[in-house]
Amino acid sequence: MKNILVTGGLGFIGSHTVVSLHEAGYNPIILDNLSNTRIDVLGGLEKLMGKKPVFFQGDVNDAAVYDQIVSQTGPIHAVIHFAAFKAVGESVEQPLKYYHNNVQGLITLMLAMERLSVKNMVFSSSCTVYGEPDQVPVSEETPTKPAASPYGVTKQMGETILKDCTWLQTQCLRYFNPIGAHPSGLIGELPLGVPSNLIPYLTQSVAGLRPPLTVHGGDYPTPDGTCIRDYIHVCDLADAHVASLNRLLGNKQQDHFEVFNIGTGTGQSVLEVLHGFEAATGEKPSYQVGPRRPGDVVAVWADAGKASSVLGWQARRSLSEMLRDAWNWQRKHS
Ligand code: WQD
């Protein structure tokens, strides 16, 4: 089995991808510093994988950790790099924390990969690299614009660094808004502290763990005044990583740096999500409309045609399924 180092592998997207990698016959090796997750995610993974996951607690900025891992696991065939902070609002308040972890961490990882002759990377990028697009949907050829938040800048910087390192074969996946949870309810989204993202805050507030949701802005130039995003089931996103890795390790890559939008191709507003949550779960969220959040773009959703034609991947799960699985996870986890 091929060893795949998954940095941030105990996180929301990372943990779901670890399950998909295992099911596809790869050997996922998890590196996580537990800064935005909990060690008990390992228990959920063990149940889903039928074996104890290979886990190393450590930080992507610790240069020595990679040598320690390889000395125990043997050669790494590819890295899937999830480990990064990802809250748009928080990055506006704490930019340096984001540059240190997201940019310096990537550089430390890449220096280790060069040293250890690991030449394959799947990079977790984001639709935030498009900034506020002039038109939607955005394709991979849509010019990137100044990001609306330091988080988005760190992803733009990451893409530039990877593009410039032609010795590395990179699959750059630009995620849209990952939500939901594994249908088993054994793993899901579990941010530490008060969730910045819409769905974990929504499910925690409906479960009575948080005050009612505040909708960040109701006066945007959209049909109902709230921001529009492309929400994608985290399991669809996990499957996209396997499709990308198969291309990478199958030497099918045409260029050293390939970019794919990983979204559903459909945009939904915050209010549409709230109404969809009630329709999918029978639970009526209470909320109030508050001021806009700095760093938010008005509307962004994907043209996902390239991932379909080149990777042979497309999102299969509906918004209703995403919201039902998110609520199932919350009820099981509460
Ligand atoms: C979505 C919408 C908020 C919380 C995320 C990830 C980022 C990237 C893109 C992967 C916005 C509104 C939110 C709340 C609200 N994904 N909202 N009340 O900012 O689009 O970014 O997806 O790389 O990493 O963070 O997601 O869920 O924070 O916001 O009204 O309490 O929900 O204003 O319009 P965002 P989000």
Side-chain angles (χ1 to χ4, degrees):
M1 283 200 290
K2 292 191 171 163
N3 290 336
I4 311 298
L5 177 62
V6 184
T7 71
L10 284 192
F12 174 41
I13 307 169
S15 57
H16 288 79
T17 302
V18 163
V19 173
S20 293
L21 287 170
H22 171 73
E23 288 169 352
Y26 289 107
N27 180 36
I29 295 160
I30 300 168
L31 172 64
D32 203 301
N33 68 359
L34 303 179
S35 65
N36 193 26
T37 186
R38 292 173 176 79
I39 191 73
D40 55 23
V41 171
L42 278 175
L45 287 176
E46 186 171 352
K47 290 195 183 103
L48 289 167
M49 294 166 67
K51 68 171 191 172
K52 222 171 180 43
V54 179
F55 168 62
F56 293 86
Q57 183 170 346
D59 194 296
V60 286
N61 259 313
D62 173 7
V65 76
Y66 304 100
D67 304 82
Q68 288 155 16
I69 289 171
V70 169
S71 67
Q72 293 185 46
T73 64
I76 300 286
H77 295 85
V79 175
I80 303 183
H81 182 43
F82 290 109
F85 296 138
K86 62 145 190 164
V88 168
E90 184 190 48
S91 77
V92 174
E93 293 151 19
Q94 304 182 60
L96 207 49
K97 173 182 173 183
Y98 275 66
Y99 288 113
H100 179 249
N101 191 50
N102 295 11
V103 182
Q104 189 167 341
L106 172 65
I107 293 169
T108 304
L109 166 64
M110 289 174 69
L111 288 170
M113 289 175 72
E114 196 172 28
R115 186 172 69 248
L116 296 164
S117 303
V118 180
K119 297 186 169 30
N120 297 304
M121 162 80 91
V122 179
F123 178 63
S124 163
S125 189
S126 165
C127 59
T128 44
V129 303
Y130 294 110
E132 183 71 70
D134 294 332
Q135 61 183 35
V136 279
V138 291
S139 79
E140 291 82 356
E141 285 64 53
T142 299
T144 58
K145 292 175 68 179
S149 68
Y151 164 75
V153 174
T154 69
K155 289 302 180 180
Q156 289 175 335
M157 287 178 164
E159 291 195 4
T160 300
I161 293 165
L162 288 160
K163 246 181 277 184
D164 287 348
C165 293
T166 54
W167 57 270
L168 198 57
Q169 296 297 309
T170 296
Q171 289 274 305
C172 178
L173 305 185
R174 291 174 178 167
Y175 309 158
F176 284 70
N177 285 56
I179 65 169
H182 191 278
S184 66
L186 289 168
I187 54 174
E189 191 164 12
L190 194 63
L192 300 186
V194 180
S196 303
N197 294 135
L198 176 65
I199 299 307
Y201 192 95
L202 173 65
T203 58
Q204 290 184 19
S205 71
V206 171
L209 304 173
R210 303 273 176 211
L213 176 84
T214 297
V215 173
H216 295 321
D219 60 350
Y220 284 101
T222 60
D224 65 15
T226 64
C227 294
I228 296 173
R229 295 288 185 276
D230 183 332
Y231 297 95
I232 176 172
H233 198 295
V234 64
C235 291
D236 276 334
L237 183 56
D239 293 344
H241 285 78
V242 173
S244 174
L245 191 63
N246 290 342
R247 178 174 173 80
L248 189 59
L249 296 183
N251 297 313
K252 298 192 178 74
Q253 185 143 318
Q254 306 295 313
D255 178 60
H256 81 280
F257 183 88
E258 287 190 342
V259 190
F260 296 98
N261 282 342
I262 305 299
T264 67
T266 305
Q268 254 118 7
S269 74
V270 177
L271 290 181
E272 284 174 323
V273 170
L274 298 185
H275 300 146
F277 185 83
E278 182 177 357
T281 65
E283 300 286 343
K284 185 177 178 52
S286 58
Y287 64 91
Q288 69 262 339
V289 179
R292 295 182 176 190
R293 178 176 70 176
D296 274 334
V297 299
V298 182
V300 63
W301 68 90
D303 170 345
K306 184 180 174 189
S308 173
S309 57
V310 176
L311 294 181
W313 170 90
Q314 51 195 19
R316 293 185 291 111
R317 296 159 174 97
S318 66
L319 179 69
S320 182
E321 205 170 335
M322 299 176 211
L323 298 171
R324 225 179 4 259
D325 288 341
W327 181 235
N328 178 50
W329 156 254
Q330 182 66 59
R331 280 187 314 173
K332 289 206 164 124
H333 193 74
S334 302

